[in-house]
Amino acid sequence: MMLANDRQNKILEIITRDGSVKTSQLVDVFEVSLETIRRDFDALEKQGYLEKVYGGAILKEDKNRNITYSFRKNKNVPEKQELAKHAINTINDGDTIALNAGTTNLEIAKLMKDRFSRLTVITNSLMIANELAEIKGINLILAGGIYNKNEYAFLGEVTARFFQNFSVDKAFICVGGISLKIGITDYLIDEVLVEKKIIEIAEQVYILADSSKIDSNTLIKVADLKKDMVIITDSKLGENVKDKYNKKGIDIIN
């Protein structure tokens, strides 16, 4: 029988992907009692992940809570793939690029196969490194440091210092929020330390966020939003929002 913690992780995967789930559905999936699923809901609700409703539960959105990588990678996948297609078109053969440990950057890495004859990629993401490890024409540099198991990435001060040794043509940074007032924001302080350093070493910075994150702020500030930065987002972004950023000199690709 599956342990309670493993089952709750699976429940969170389902609810993060679908936004809601029925109690009866989980009873069938896990072959456990209704009471067991209700206890799982109680545990996940106390942790702030979901909200119980009649007959099931819904995902509880919290801009100050980071959902782990394994859950995020299954959320808004079409939008991430759309962003990745825009981003890959900005990369030229011979570039040196930096990719932080975002799930959208993993989609960019998936598009690199057979596309470039000479490209250097620096990343702190183990998932991205695994994706690129066998691709011909990719010179892969993996930034080390303290490994975060939830993010499948090396994060923190040691990793930030590693990036300091390099200079890159383009950086692609996936973040939790973007706004004109606050700037660029994200969830984890150790992740933000790395993102700050990547911005410093890049000639051109691309900020990646799906349209739900535009005009939204999360807990920790990464940097001010500057005119030489480019936002890459999806086609769902409202024209009024795009115009507002354009008037401030911020280019948006969508």
Side-chain angles (χ1 to χ4, degrees):
M1 181 178 290
M2 184 179 289
L3 296 174
N5 187 62
D6 293 335
R7 187 176 57 252
Q8 288 164 18
N9 281 336
K10 289 291 185 183
I11 291 171
L12 190 49
E13 280 188 33
I14 294 168
I15 203 168
T16 301
R17 181 191 67 211
D18 299 338
S20 63
V21 69
K22 292 182 178 180
T23 309
S24 58
Q25 173 190 349
L26 297 179
V27 168
D28 292 339
V29 168
F30 297 112
E31 297 180 338
V32 294
S33 68
L34 193 65
E35 289 72 23
T36 296
I37 297 301
R38 285 173 176 165
R39 286 195 296 270
D40 290 335
F41 281 170
D42 287 339
L44 291 170
E45 186 174 48
K46 286 179 181 177
Q47 295 174 61
Y49 288 118
L50 57 76
E51 180 180 342
K52 291 185 294 181
V53 295
Y54 182 76
I58 59 174
L59 182 67
K60 185 175 181 180
E61 296 288 353
D62 183 346
K63 69 178 184 178
N64 292 328
R65 173 174 52 80
N66 181 55
I67 298 174
T68 58
Y69 190 102
S70 59
F71 302 134
R72 295 198 315 273
K73 72 177 182 179
N74 295 318
K75 190 176 181 183
N76 298 334
V77 174
E79 288 83 359
K80 290 173 184 176
Q81 291 171 340
E82 183 182 349
L83 267 66
K85 289 176 182 177
H86 291 313
I88 201 78
N89 289 330
T90 69
I91 301 172
N92 301 313
D93 219 24
D95 278 347
T96 296
I97 69 170
L99 302 174
N100 78 321
T103 53
T104 302
N105 276 343
L106 179 60
E107 297 298 327
I108 295 175
K110 291 176 181 179
L111 297 178
M112 288 183 178
K113 188 175 182 180
D114 300 327
R115 189 175 181 113
F116 302 101
S117 61
R118 186 168 55 91
L119 188 71
T120 297
V121 180
I122 309 171
T123 185
N124 60 318
S125 166
L126 196 59
M127 299 289 282
I128 291 172
N130 286 337
E131 187 69 33
L132 299 178
E134 302 298 326
I135 296 181
K136 187 178 179 181
I138 301 291
N139 177 30
L140 175 64
I141 301 172
L142 178 60
I146 298 173
Y147 184 63
N148 184 308
K149 294 178 181 178
N150 288 330
E151 296 300 310
Y152 299 97
F154 297 94
L155 303 176
E157 186 62 39
V158 174
T159 308
R161 288 201 301 267
F162 182 94
F163 276 100
Q164 194 170 350
N165 296 309
F166 299 91
S167 175
V168 300
D169 299 306
K170 295 160 186 171
F172 298 86
I173 302 176
C174 306
V175 298
I178 302 172
S179 72
L180 289 171
K181 184 178 180 179
I182 304 298
I184 305 161
T185 54
D186 219 334
Y187 297 96
L188 301 177
I189 185 62
D190 284 344
E191 193 167 32
V192 168
L193 290 172
V194 174
E195 291 163 355
K196 285 177 179 286
K197 188 57 63 178
I198 293 175
I199 288 172
E200 286 180 19
I201 67 169
E203 185 72 22
Q204 176 65 61
V205 176
Y206 294 91
I207 306 299
L208 281 67
D210 68 62
S211 55
S212 70
K213 298 175 182 177
I214 309 295
D215 268 357
S216 174
N217 302 308
T218 55
L219 184 62
I220 305 169
K221 183 169 180 175
V222 178
D224 291 326
L225 190 59
K226 298 180 180 179
K227 291 182 179 179
D228 58 353
M229 295 176 175
V230 177
I231 296 172
I232 299 179
T233 189
D234 59 75
S235 55
K236 293 180 180 179
L237 184 71
E239 283 299 319
N240 59 325
V241 177
K242 185 174 181 177
D243 288 344
K244 180 172 65 173
Y245 281 76
N246 288 162
K247 287 177 181 177
K248 294 293 184 179
I250 306 297
D251 287 334
I252 294 180
I253 298 172
N254 71 327

